């Protein structure tokens, strides 16, 4: 495809707060309303590498400027970038594509620090290294410019959610307002009104507390399908302690870091009750987000790994039963596992076009803002 083609083929790479691996997704898009979704894949991190990423969260706490790489973070960044390159190479081979058939890669990297009140966000990932290795242009560092304009650098997916909502079809036309709920390590929501009004913010902890809890108590990375939680009961005192956080009532919606909510103390619950309570907290936090929306949503579309936890889904369904209905992304013909990676592909193309990535209603930025840094695979020939 040519550099000037309106429709570009893009690959999005997302390594989220769950730190379990790399989601890959391909789109053909103009970075606006034209979206043709393609193949997707997942490349898991091994347990040893996940442990190194978790340790990096502690190391990163000392960072004061976003280009600092204390301790072993520089080496870890290089390895993480190379793992992304290997994932792309495997994806291209599987799809029978060459690097020349891809216009751009949207590279998220791994967030190790996010402090919106300090306008500081750090994602490990070397865009220049990735572009040179793959021979494909890379758009990276998509959050930073938003922060320089007064935004919180998150969430960035809402504009893509709006593009998806516009393409849902006539059968969904009356199901507005619609809310997309991404239940990753942190949960975030995107509200889309009848007139396209866009509101978005983090709603609270998603899978991160549950994952940390079951890993500590059962030695497994996550509660598959909510099986452990289904054997427990909600401990109201523990749940209420989380839900009493001023985060949920503050007028200013703040984006969250993985460490903003702590895992319960070992004395507060057993394995099953802890998992059940934390699943309830995730759902209740999402439902509480309605207090910050212009209208009650008629439709909740669940994406991200947390939608596989049936206790979260059941609790959210109960909490919203009088105002709307809850469905999984797949029921609307979407892919709830690859949506964030798709968004990063879409945002990369949008960035190349100089179009806004964030809005006052999504990150609190002062005005609609583009962003991203372009790393070219090779120097451009002179005009």
């Amino acid at each position: 495809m040519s550099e000037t083609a309106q429709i570009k083929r893009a690959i999005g790479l997302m390594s989220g707060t769950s730190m379990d691996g790399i989601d890959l997704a391909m789109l053909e898009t103009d970075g606006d309303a034209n979206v043709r979704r393609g193949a997707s894949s997942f490349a898991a991190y091994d347990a040893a590498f996940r442990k190194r990423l978790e340790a990096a969260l502690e190391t990163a706490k000392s960072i004061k400027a976003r280009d600092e790489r204390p301790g072993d973070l520089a080496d870890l960044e290089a390895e993480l970038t190379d793992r992304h390159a290997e994932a792309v190479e495997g994806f291209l081979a599987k799809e029978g594509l060459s690097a020349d058939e891809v216009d751009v890669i949207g590279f998220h990297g791994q967030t190790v620090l996010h402090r919106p009140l300090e306008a500081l966000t750090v994602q490990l990932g070397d865009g220049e290294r990735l572009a040179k290795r793959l021979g494909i242009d890379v758009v990276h560092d998509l959050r930073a410019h938003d922060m320089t304009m007064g935004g919180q650098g998150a969430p960035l997916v809402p504009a893509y959610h709006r593009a998806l909502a516009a393409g849902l079809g006539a059968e969904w036309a009356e199901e507005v307002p619609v809310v997309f709920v991404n239940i990753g390590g942190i949960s975030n929501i995107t509200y889309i009104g009848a007139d396209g009004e866009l509101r978005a913010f983090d709603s609270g902890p998603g899978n991160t507390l549950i994952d940390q809890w079951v890993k500590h108590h059962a030695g497994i990375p996550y509660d598959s399908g909510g099986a452990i939680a289904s054997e427990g009961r909600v401990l109201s005192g523990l749940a209420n302690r989380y839900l009493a956080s001023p985060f949920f009532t503050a007028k200013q919606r703040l984006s969250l870091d993985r460490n903003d909510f702590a895992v319960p103390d070992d004395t507060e619950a057993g394995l099953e009750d802890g998992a059940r309570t934390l699943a309830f907290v995730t759902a209740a936090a999402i439902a509480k987000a309605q207090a910050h929306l212009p209208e009650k949503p008629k439709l909740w579309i669940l994406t991200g790994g947390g939608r596989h936890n049936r206790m979260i889904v059941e609790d959210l369904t109960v909490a919203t039963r009088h105002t709307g209905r809850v469905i999984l992304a797949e029921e609307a013909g979407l892919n709830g596992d690859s949506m964030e990676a798709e968004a990063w592909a879409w945002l990369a193309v949008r960035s190349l076009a100089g179009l806004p990535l964030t809005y006052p209603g999504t990150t609190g930025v002062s005005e609609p803002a583009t962003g991203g840094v372009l790393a070219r695979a090779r120097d451009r020939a002179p005009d």
Side-chain angles (χ1 to χ4, degrees):
M1 291 185 177
S2 70
E3 174 66 17
T4 58
Q6 182 182 21
I7 302 296
K8 294 183 182 292
R9 177 178 283 155
I11 294 175
L13 306 176
M14 168 59 66
S15 179
T17 51
S18 59
M19 298 188 297
D20 56 350
I22 305 163
D23 286 303
L24 305 91
M26 184 178 294
L27 291 183
E28 291 184 359
T29 182
D30 60 357
D32 198 20
N34 196 323
V35 177
R36 293 197 290 272
R37 295 166 44 240
S40 62
S41 186
F42 176 72
Y45 291 144
D46 56 83
F49 191 69
R50 288 199 302 270
K51 188 173 182 179
R52 290 178 62 196
L53 289 176
E54 290 169 1
L57 300 177
E58 290 299 315
T59 306
K61 288 180 179 179
S62 66
I63 292 176
K64 301 300 181 185
R66 49 190 320 278
D67 60 348
E68 294 176 2
R69 296 294 184 267
D72 67 344
L73 291 191
D75 289 341
L76 183 62
E77 182 170 53
E79 181 176 344
L80 179 133
T81 303
D82 290 344
R83 284 174 177 258
H84 278 72
E86 291 165 6
V88 173
E89 289 165 349
F91 181 71
L92 291 176
K94 181 181 177 182
E95 298 304 318
L97 295 171
S98 68
D100 290 341
E101 295 176 278
V102 179
D103 292 296
V104 68
I105 288 174
F107 180 28
H108 180 270
Q110 183 67 57
T111 299
V112 292
L113 186 72
H114 189 71
R115 293 176 179 165
L117 294 180
E118 300 173 23
L120 179 62
T121 186
V122 180
Q123 285 76 44
L124 296 184
D126 186 335
E128 296 284 348
R129 184 184 183 100
L130 187 66
K132 293 295 189 292
R133 170 159 171 175
L134 292 174
I136 304 171
D137 289 350
V138 171
V139 173
H140 61 110
D141 206 13
L142 284 157
R143 299 187 187 276
H145 182 63
D146 176 86
M147 284 187 155
T148 68
M149 296 184 64
Q152 295 185 55
L156 260 66
V157 180
Y160 180 60
H161 286 156
R162 182 165 61 185
L164 289 179
L168 284 179
E171 68 269 31
W172 304 97
E174 302 301 319
E175 303 269 12
V176 290
V178 59
V179 165
F180 284 79
V181 185
N182 175 49
I183 312 174
I186 301 297
S187 294
N188 53 71
I189 71 166
T190 299
Y191 168 95
I192 304 157
D195 58 355
E197 179 184 5
L198 198 60
R199 299 279 184 94
F201 47 85
D202 287 351
S203 62
N207 301 318
T208 184
L209 293 178
I210 304 169
D211 292 350
Q212 292 177 71
W213 179 259
V214 300
K215 181 178 180 181
H216 176 63
H217 288 273
I220 56 177
Y222 59 94
D223 182 10
S224 180
I228 296 173
S230 69
E231 298 295 323
R233 61 191 178 90
V234 176
L235 303 177
S236 58
L238 179 59
N240 290 338
R241 177 167 69 77
Y242 280 104
L243 297 173
S245 167
F247 167 82
F248 297 110
T249 54
K251 289 186 177 181
Q252 182 184 11
R253 297 287 79 210
L254 295 176
S255 57
L256 291 169
D257 183 76
R258 174 186 166 102
N259 295 315
D260 285 338
F261 286 87
V263 178
D265 187 87
D266 288 352
T267 62
E268 294 184 275
L271 170 62
E272 293 84 0
D273 289 349
R276 180 68 187 90
T277 302
L278 293 173
F280 174 83
V281 168
T282 294
I286 294 167
K288 275 179 170 288
Q290 294 179 98
H292 303 281
L293 299 176
E295 296 181 52
K296 301 287 188 185
K298 291 184 178 179
L299 181 66
W300 301 75
I301 300 177
L302 305 190
T303 77
R307 80 191 190 288
H308 297 301
N309 186 317
R310 65 181 183 273
M311 305 315 298
I312 295 176
V313 177
E314 288 179 12
D315 287 341
L316 182 60
T317 300
V318 169
T320 60
R321 64 188 182 280
H322 297 303
T323 57
R325 65 187 181 111
V326 173
I327 67 170
L328 303 187
E330 288 70 19
E331 295 177 60
L334 304 172
N335 187 329
D337 288 322
S338 66
M339 194 176 294
E340 280 199 293
E342 291 172 16
W344 241 252
W346 186 83
L347 289 167
V349 176
R350 197 166 175 84
S351 174
L352 292 176
L355 296 170
L357 311 184
T358 58
Y359 298 84
T362 61
T363 66
V365 69
S366 57
E367 60 186 55
T370 190
V373 175
L374 173 60
R376 290 202 170 272
R378 56 188 68 86
D379 294 334
R380 299 184 70 176
D383 295 330

